[in-house]
Amino acid sequence: MAQNFTNLTSDCQYWLQKLSALDQASTLETQKDTCLHLPQFQEFLRQMYEALKEMDSNTAMERFPTIGQLLAKTCSNPFVLAYDESQKFLIQCLCCLINKEPQNSGDSKLNSWIRGLLSHILSAFRFNIKEFDLFTQGLGYEPVDYCPALLKNMVLSLVSKLRESHLNGFNTRRRMAPERVASLSQVCIPLVTLPDFEPLVEALLIYHGHEPQEVLCPAFFKAVNEAFLLKKISLPTSAVVSLWLRHLPSLEKAVLHLFTKLISSERNCLRRIECFIKDSLLPQAACHPAIFRVVDEMFRFALMETDGALEVLAAVQVFTRCFVEALEKENKQLKFALKTYFPHISPSLTAVLLQHPRDTPQGCHHQLLQHVSLMLRKAVEDQACGSCRDPFESWFLFIHFGGWADLAAEHLLRSAVEAPAAAEAPVAALLWLLAFYYRPLDSHQQRAQTMVEMEAVLSRLRFLTLSRSSPISAEELRAAAGEDSHEDPMQPVCGRLIRHLLLNFLLWVPAGHAAAHDTITLMACTDEISHEITGFLDQTLYRWDHLCTEAPRPAKLARELLQELRARV
């Protein structure tokens, strides 16, 4: 704590010098310097408040001898008063210096002086001419032309001029000079969170001049993006898209901000993840291919860094679902070719995966799954010679539409157990689809071995179902899936995949319902597997809701099992 006080004392001197420099020379350069340092100064005020609230007034003045001088100068700086939450922290600091029980005339004078500063802060935002000279001059108006009632008209006038400049193109007489536009963006940095200035912020974002270089200040983009991410301003989607197209660091920051929210949210709650993703406006903005490519690339890196973590896979799939919905709302026919969104894969494969199963009769799902499997297999095995990039690109596209893998597992299990004779033809295609989904970079031989292991599990489950009339026990089901092996259980490449098949058996095959709760209890022997099963059940329910699937018994059982697993956490 002592070290923190030392740092704050040093910071007091630094910021006092900064503010004194602005008082002595109120030039455009010093104003720009102040605007650039506003976020750091606000953080300093916050830290100062945290320190002051732990001590009485006299101790505070002794510990920080220049604090009064610093706060007084801050009260006369309109840039600080207008910026974000700086005014709030400033008021809190001043309140901490008020002596609750003044003992002498010195304490009373200090209290009176602080109350005067507080009154000054509150009156400053009544748009006193003297206090807002800097703003009006920076916006291109003289103080004598300015009065509080004209603030709205001033903003609307600037918005109109920006729109005229945008529409008039190369008509230089009616265009706003690039230097003026740049100056506007600079002056607006501390004002972006003020509601009255939102129209001007929006107009600047959607303004496009004809200069070869970006004219808006990078710090302006950064300030607007930060305010938008923290929900301190509201902007239409068009303005947000323009912001992210014009300033790549802002788009990257928005994606990282979303990642942070997803990581800190409840695990395996896809409805909550969907709300976060839609609220971010990223799916809507991703209808522009340039934004989609950046977001998709960041998801790719997240997958690679986490070695295909289930949470990231789920987030990719939910984001893709939200993106496709936004694309359908924006236009019935694509404005951009599919190649612009997924440049590494053939458009025909992308078009097939984009089809929603709910738009296809349920009786045709087998044929559609076979078609998807054959196209993927051709893309992977015909191009995989000497290159691992193509299999990965095909897999990365496939996991965007992970519902196809879930549908394949469901159909494979139901058809193999309920109607084995009719299932012979599509079994190989569905097995290949699942083996590729879980282990995309396996060789042809490794994938063939995975398919053999899966088929063996299906045969054992089929035998259990057809060979007896008594209820199947949890131990028998786990044995059929190979989970009770004492020799490195589930080590083969299809460990998660076999659990996937077993869970589908529990949900869809009536013989598995009675033993479902006991089987889940035995399967969820570690936190990792419990987390995996929870994610599977949540994703299954989420997919059924979107498909409007009529499956009351499996859905009821899935919700019971999910509730049971979450109750253990």
Side-chain angles (χ1 to χ4, degrees):
M1 183 63 74
Q3 181 63 38
N4 291 340
F5 287 157
T6 303
N7 292 339
L8 282 174
T9 303
S10 175
D11 290 343
C12 273
Q13 296 297 329
Y14 171 78
W15 290 113
L16 185 58
Q17 292 174 5
K18 277 282 184 189
L19 294 174
S20 298
L22 179 61
D23 287 345
Q24 294 167 9
S26 184
T27 65
L28 183 60
E29 290 303 315
T30 56
Q31 292 173 30
K32 287 182 177 180
D33 183 66
T34 302
C35 290
L36 291 174
H37 286 83
L38 286 172
Q40 296 96 309
F41 185 60
Q42 176 174 280
E43 177 60 20
F44 161 75
L45 288 176
R46 188 194 66 78
Q47 292 178 5
M48 180 58 73
Y49 166 64
E50 293 296 328
L52 292 178
K53 71 180 183 180
E54 301 297 330
M55 55 186 76
D56 59 41
S57 175
N58 292 330
T59 304
M61 298 299 287
E62 291 175 5
R63 183 80 67 176
F64 307 108
T66 59
I67 186 63
Q69 187 180 359
L70 172 64
L71 295 180
K73 286 187 176 294
T74 304
C75 289
S76 63
N77 189 302
F79 290 95
V80 175
L81 295 180
Y83 180 72
D84 199 23
E85 297 185 300
S86 295
Q87 183 185 166
K88 179 187 77 173
F89 293 129
L90 176 60
I91 291 173
Q92 289 172 333
C93 288
L94 287 169
C95 290
C96 289
L97 295 182
I98 294 178
N99 199 312
K100 307 300 186 293
E101 298 178 0
Q103 302 296 318
N104 50 52
S105 60
D107 291 345
S108 299
K109 287 181 179 179
L110 177 62
N111 286 355
S112 178
W113 177 71
I114 292 172
R115 291 192 181 98
L117 291 178
L118 291 170
S119 176
H120 174 81
I121 294 173
L122 297 175
S123 65
F125 267 69
R126 295 172 188 161
F127 303 107
N128 179 278
I129 292 175
K130 180 180 178 181
E131 298 298 335
F132 281 82
D133 277 357
L134 290 174
F135 288 155
T136 56
Q137 289 175 19
L139 293 169
Y141 290 82
E142 294 299 321
V144 293
D145 299 327
Y146 175 78
C147 67
L150 290 180
L151 173 64
K152 184 176 180 180
N153 289 338
M154 179 181 71
V155 170
L156 293 178
S157 173
L158 288 167
V159 170
S160 178
K161 288 181 180 179
L162 285 168
R163 288 175 178 168
E164 286 180 11
S165 298
H166 178 69
L167 294 174
N168 285 315
F170 290 101
N171 186 347
T172 55
R173 292 185 178 181
R174 301 189 64 181
R175 277 174 50 203
M176 187 180 290
E179 297 79 12
R180 177 82 189 284
V181 178
S183 178
L184 271 178
S185 68
Q186 184 73 56
V187 172
C188 278
I189 292 173
L191 301 169
V192 295
T193 57
L194 298 181
D196 289 332
F197 283 84
E198 278 188 12
L200 181 55
V201 172
E202 180 185 342
L204 283 168
L205 289 174
I206 62 177
Y207 165 81
H208 288 283
H210 296 272
E211 298 77 22
Q213 301 284 334
E214 176 62 68
V215 296
L216 299 186
C217 173
F220 168 74
F221 288 127
K222 182 179 178 182
V224 173
N225 192 60
E226 191 73 20
F228 172 74
L229 296 180
L230 297 177
K231 304 298 181 187
K232 294 181 179 179
I233 58 172
S234 177
L235 293 172
T237 303
S238 58
V240 177
V241 170
S242 183
L243 164 65
W244 290 338
L245 283 173
R246 299 173 71 172
H247 193 242
L248 179 60
S250 289
L251 174 57
E252 293 172 337
K253 179 71 178 292
V255 180
L256 292 174
H257 183 75
L258 173 62
F259 285 175
T260 301
K261 293 184 75 172
L262 296 182
I263 292 171
S264 60
S265 67
E266 293 179 16
R267 301 174 76 183
N268 299 316
C269 185
L270 294 190
R271 281 296 180 187
R272 187 181 175 103
I273 288 175
E274 182 182 48
C275 290
F276 284 144
I277 289 175
K278 287 184 174 180
D279 191 51
S280 73
L281 283 189
L282 282 167
Q284 298 90 317
C287 291
H288 193 291
I291 292 178
F292 177 85
R293 294 283 300 281
V294 171
V295 177
D296 205 43
E297 201 65 17
M298 294 183 73
F299 271 120
R300 179 201 299 268
F301 287 134
L303 272 173
M304 296 174 71
E305 288 295 320
T306 60
D307 197 23
L310 295 175
E311 295 91 338
V312 184
L313 281 169
V316 171
Q317 291 166 16
V318 175
F319 178 84
T320 305
R321 187 186 296 278
C322 296
F323 159 70
V324 172
E325 287 179 2
L327 208 58
E328 291 173 349
K329 287 180 181 178
E330 182 170 294
N331 43 266
K332 295 299 180 182
Q333 294 182 343
L334 285 175
K335 293 180 181 177
F336 303 95
L338 288 174
K339 191 75 174 176
T340 59
Y341 295 100
F342 302 99
H344 305 298
I345 300 297
S346 71
S348 57
L349 176 57
T350 306
V352 170
L353 291 174
L354 267 171
Q355 294 182 67
H356 204 297
R358 72 182 173 200
D359 299 329
T360 308
Q362 194 164 3
C364 299
H365 283 178
H366 261 324
Q367 292 87 334
L368 195 54
L369 284 165
Q370 277 187 279
H371 187 46
V372 170
S373 179
L374 291 174
M375 291 193 72
L376 269 173
R377 190 166 189 169
K378 181 179 179 181
V380 172
E381 296 186 351
D382 286 358
Q383 301 175 12
C385 298
S387 171
C388 286
R389 179 171 178 79
D390 290 323
F392 179 83
E393 293 300 341
S394 297
W395 175 80
F396 186 56
L397 173 68
F398 186 42
I399 62 105
H400 282 72
F401 308 96
W404 289 112
D406 295 327
L407 194 62
E410 175 186 311
H411 275 260
L412 185 65
L413 208 295
R414 294 176 69 185
S415 60
V417 176
E418 296 173 1
E424 293 300 327
V427 162
L430 299 185
L431 288 174
W432 188 94
L433 204 59
L434 288 170
F436 176 66
Y437 180 80
Y438 281 90
R439 293 296 295 257
L441 300 183
D442 276 358
S443 66
H444 177 74
Q445 292 79 5
Q446 289 172 321
R447 194 169 293 122
Q449 179 59 34
T450 299
M451 293 168 64
V452 168
E453 293 182 26
M454 283 193 290
E455 196 160 20
V457 170
L458 290 174
S459 297
R460 291 194 292 269
L461 290 173
R462 183 189 309 160
F463 177 78
L464 274 180
T465 306
L466 300 177
S467 65
R468 56 188 295 166
S469 57
S470 59
I472 303 173
S473 69
E475 290 79 6
E476 288 175 313
L477 285 175
R478 293 184 70 241
E483 274 211 322
D484 64 345
S485 171
H486 297 291
E487 298 178 2
D488 200 4
M490 308 311 289
Q491 190 277 334
V493 294
C494 49
R496 281 195 303 176
L497 173 50
I498 291 178
R499 277 193 289 272
H500 194 166
L501 293 176
L502 181 54
L503 288 166
N504 270 288
F505 178 90
L506 296 176
L507 294 178
W508 284 105
V509 181
H513 289 191
H517 291 273
D518 290 340
T519 306
I520 288 291
T521 299
L522 291 173
M523 287 173 66
C525 55
T526 66
D527 289 342
E528 183 179 355
I529 295 179
S530 177
H531 173 48
E532 176 194 320
I533 297 172
T534 302
F536 167 81
L537 293 170
D538 186 48
Q539 190 162 349
T540 299
L541 288 168
Y542 178 77
R543 180 171 58 87
W544 287 347
D545 286 344
H546 279 273
L547 289 175
C548 303
T549 302
E550 292 294 333
R553 287 189 67 190
K556 181 176 182 293
L557 178 59
R559 288 191 176 89
E560 289 175 358
L561 295 173
L562 186 61
Q563 185 177 5
E564 183 179 316
L565 283 169
R566 284 178 172 162
R568 299 180 189 177
V569 179

